[in-house]
Amino acid sequence: MVHLHVEKTIAAPADKVFAWLADPANLKTAPLIVTAEWARDSPPPGLGAIRTGFAIGLWFREEIIAFDPPHSYTYLIVGSVPAFDHEGGTLTFTHEGDGTHVDWVSTYTHPIRGGGKAMETLSAKLLPWNFSAVLDACAKALEP
């Protein structure tokens, strides 16, 4: 099982940080993400919304399973290649000084059909790097 935890304090209000990070278009700031968007069959952004994307070596479909702006949201990978057994990813937004502290946690395994332990070793190195890049891009976009 892989448990990822990335965090950053961003000098911007929680509502703006939440909105920026909840928009799948901004996932494209990750080095490996090529496309990310709301799925065509998705309900409006919020609870139940579906995000899809392509990354180098990965296709994913995620459902927003908890949505509490501007405090937190949780997503679940419901389809992917390679396969993920995803327990969920949660972004939590906490007021800190003049900014917002973001905690991003995700827990998953790769079943044998998705590359098993070898894929876990690779993704455990690549995903935190990409999560951090998204948080850095958010700070760059929103900080004065």
Side-chain angles (χ1 to χ4, degrees), residues 67-83:
F67 197 74
D68 181 22
H71 308 289
S72 66
Y73 73 87
T74 300
Y75 62 95
L76 182 67
I77 296 173
V78 295
S80 67
V81 176

Side-chain angles (χ1 to χ4, degrees), residues 30-122:
L32 297 179
I33 300 287
V34 178
T35 65
E37 61 192 2
W38 296 112
R40 289 188 186 131
D41 59 343
S42 177
L47 187 63
I50 304 292
R51 304 187 300 194
T52 62
F54 288 95
I56 296 171
L58 171 70
W59 168 83
F60 62 90
R61 183 177 175 92
E62 303 171 335
E63 181 179 353
I64 304 298
I65 61 170
F67 197 74
D68 181 22
H71 308 289
S72 66
Y73 73 87
T74 300
Y75 62 95
L76 182 67
I77 296 173
V78 295
S80 67
V81 176
F84 275 81
D85 287 337
H86 195 226
E87 292 186 9
T90 299
L91 284 81
T92 304
F93 305 83
T94 308
H95 177 73
E96 188 172 289
D98 291 335
T100 304
H101 185 79
V102 181
D103 275 308
W104 190 341
V105 177
S106 183
T107 304
Y108 64 90
T109 59
H110 286 286
I112 296 298
R113 73 182 189 287
K117 293 294 181 194
M119 190 61 182
E120 285 179 16
T121 300
L122 179 62

